[in-house]
Amino acid sequence: MKQTWNLQFFAEEKTEKATPKKRRDTRKKGQVAKSSDLSSALSMLGIFMVLVFAATKIGSGLGELMKKSYTTDIQMALTEGHVHQLFTQLVVEVVKLIAPVLLAALVIGVFSNVAQIGLLFSTETLSFKLNRLNPLSGFKRIYSMRALVEFLKSLLKIFLVGLTTFIIFWINRDQLLVMAEKPLWEGVSITGRVVLEMGIAASLVLLFIGVLDYAYQRWDHEKNIKMSKKEVRDEYKNIEGDPQIKAKIREMQRQMAMRRMMQEVPKADVVITNPTHFAVALKYQDDSMDAPVVIAKGADLIAQRIKSIAKESDVVIVERKELARALFHRLSIGDPIPEEFFKAVAEILAYVYKLNGVV
């Protein structure tokens, strides 16, 4: 009993890599290896890189917009139509200024997700499942190994990002401390440069964490989709069919082919034997065939059955040991006689036609 339980335990243990079908099924359910941290880090890095090149233009644009608001627009009469017009213009101008940043975030976000999992659309994760309301399942999710890893990862991100921004701040501390003595625009420029440096440095740190997280997600995904030996066997049976059923089908097909072959024996012109082990039935029609054709063949018991049917149907049986053996091994049912056997078979057919009074 104990040995049986151990065998069952090892059969259920998930030690096998997932099959292609299992991978396709889990992918359809939306279960893929993906790191949201990697996507966020790439998007964040892309945004700050765009700001490096577009910050001056965006700052100048915002300055012009504020200047226009406090010089020209402020003189307009305060009516409902003017307020609507000013608000619309303000939204359009702001969108024009920040459009490159938003576009970069969108493109990089889509690219990072497609690079990780490819094109995938699944509603499985959005479907309602009763087990999600189970307190026990929720407790297991909260206190699982994945939850612990996510917690440690969050602490690591907070520590590294905080340390990185502090280092950038410490490097630029002299300029930041005297910033109050600088002109307004120069102070804004210094602040913007430091913020961009902090953003790029923090993005690179998060990108490093994201790469590690993606590697962990791949490992965890592979572990979760592993299969037991029994699951692999069951899947194979579902795809290929039960071996016992397939064997029965093959046996039925073989019997049907045998019956069809035996039905062709009475139509043969001659059966060549060796005489006990092999039998080959040939048929020739000079108006539709270029050479005689094998319509039945068999060895041992099947050969005896072919000879028995041939005798019942008055088909001539000719004993040619070497020829019968060669035809049996070289040809399949429906094959014409090769040229090298023409002479030997022609002599046999001539004998058969003479015996039957055809010639």
Side-chain angles (χ1 to χ4, degrees), residues 39 43 104-116 118-119:
S39 301
S43 299
L106 176 63
V107 172
I108 295 175
V110 172
F111 170 78
S112 61
N113 281 280
V114 172
Q116 291 186 70
L119 295 176

Side-chain angles (χ1 to χ4, degrees), residues 14-230:
K14 298 182 183 296
T15 57
E16 306 301 310
K17 289 186 177 181
T19 60
K21 181 179 182 303
K22 178 67 177 292
R23 294 180 185 277
R24 290 194 300 269
D25 292 343
T26 53
R27 180 178 174 83
K28 289 178 181 178
K29 295 177 181 179
Q31 300 175 8
V32 291
K34 173 189 171 184
S35 172
S36 57
D37 290 332
L38 181 59
S39 301
S40 301
L42 286 173
S43 299
M44 184 175 173
L45 180 62
I47 289 172
F48 280 107
M49 292 303 296
V50 171
L51 287 175
V52 168
F53 297 99
T56 303
K57 184 178 179 180
I58 294 175
S60 300
L62 290 175
E64 291 295 330
L65 186 61
M66 293 178 63
K67 181 179 179 181
K68 181 175 177 293
S69 299
Y70 285 106
T71 55
T72 305
D73 297 340
I74 200 172
Q75 298 178 9
M76 297 177 64
L78 188 60
T79 63
E80 182 179 351
H82 287 165
V83 172
H84 183 270
Q85 180 182 354
L86 290 173
F87 181 76
T88 303
Q89 291 177 355
L90 180 64
V91 171
V92 171
E93 294 298 327
V94 171
V95 169
K96 287 181 180 179
L97 292 174
I98 65 174
V101 179
L102 298 178
L103 183 61
L106 176 63
V107 172
I108 295 175
V110 172
F111 170 78
S112 61
N113 281 280
V114 172
Q116 291 186 70
I117 63 175
L119 295 176
L120 174 63
F121 178 77
S122 175
T123 59
E124 182 71 20
T125 54
L126 302 177
S127 60
F128 177 75
K129 295 181 180 179
L130 289 175
N131 62 348
R132 293 177 180 174
L133 301 178
N134 188 348
L136 183 59
S137 300
F139 182 82
K140 289 181 179 179
R141 286 195 298 269
I142 294 173
Y143 295 98
S144 63
M145 179 58 68
R146 174 176 285 272
L148 178 60
V149 171
E150 292 296 326
F151 175 71
L152 294 177
K153 186 175 64 177
S154 299
L155 291 179
L156 181 63
K157 286 191 292 186
I158 293 172
F159 172 75
L160 292 180
V161 171
L163 179 62
T164 302
T165 53
F166 175 77
I167 291 174
I168 299 297
F169 178 83
W170 187 257
I171 293 174
N172 295 276
R173 66 186 184 280
D174 294 336
Q175 298 182 48
L176 294 174
L177 290 174
V178 299
M179 192 173 60
E181 302 174 2
K182 302 287 184 179
L184 177 61
W185 183 249
E186 187 176 349
V188 172
S189 177
I190 293 173
T191 303
R193 180 178 57 79
V194 173
V195 170
L196 286 177
E197 290 178 0
M198 288 182 177
I200 293 174
S203 299
L204 292 175
V205 170
L206 291 176
L207 182 61
F208 173 73
I209 297 175
V211 171
L212 295 180
D213 181 59
Y214 178 68
Y216 167 76
Q217 297 296 340
R218 288 289 299 267
W219 173 82
D220 188 60
H221 178 69
E222 290 294 326
K223 181 173 69 70
N224 289 332
I225 64 174
K226 276 188 174 182
M227 305 171 66
S228 64
K229 295 182 183 297
K230 182 177 182 301

Side-chain angles (χ1 to χ4, degrees), residues 348-359:
I348 294 174
L349 289 177
Y351 166 75
V352 171
Y353 293 155
K354 183 178 180 180
L355 190 64
N356 292 333
V358 176
V359 179

Side-chain angles (χ1 to χ4, degrees), residues 211-272:
V211 171
L212 295 180
D213 181 59
Y214 178 68
Y216 167 76
Q217 297 296 340
R218 288 289 299 267
W219 173 82
D220 188 60
H221 178 69
E222 290 294 326
K223 181 173 69 70
N224 289 332
I225 64 174
K226 276 188 174 182
M227 305 171 66
S228 64
K229 295 182 183 297
K230 182 177 182 301
E231 288 175 335
V232 174
R233 289 195 300 268
D234 292 342
E235 182 184 288
Y236 177 79
K237 288 181 180 180
N238 291 333
I239 297 176
E240 301 294 333
D242 193 317
Q244 294 181 352
I245 296 177
K246 290 180 66 178
K248 290 181 180 179
I249 293 175
R250 286 196 296 267
E251 178 63 22
M252 292 175 62
Q253 292 173 340
R254 189 186 66 80
Q255 292 178 0
M256 292 173 63
M258 183 68 65
R259 284 195 293 268
R260 287 196 298 268
M261 184 182 73
M262 293 303 178
Q263 291 172 358
E264 295 294 318
V265 173
K267 302 176 184 179
D269 293 316
V270 64
V271 173
I272 303 175

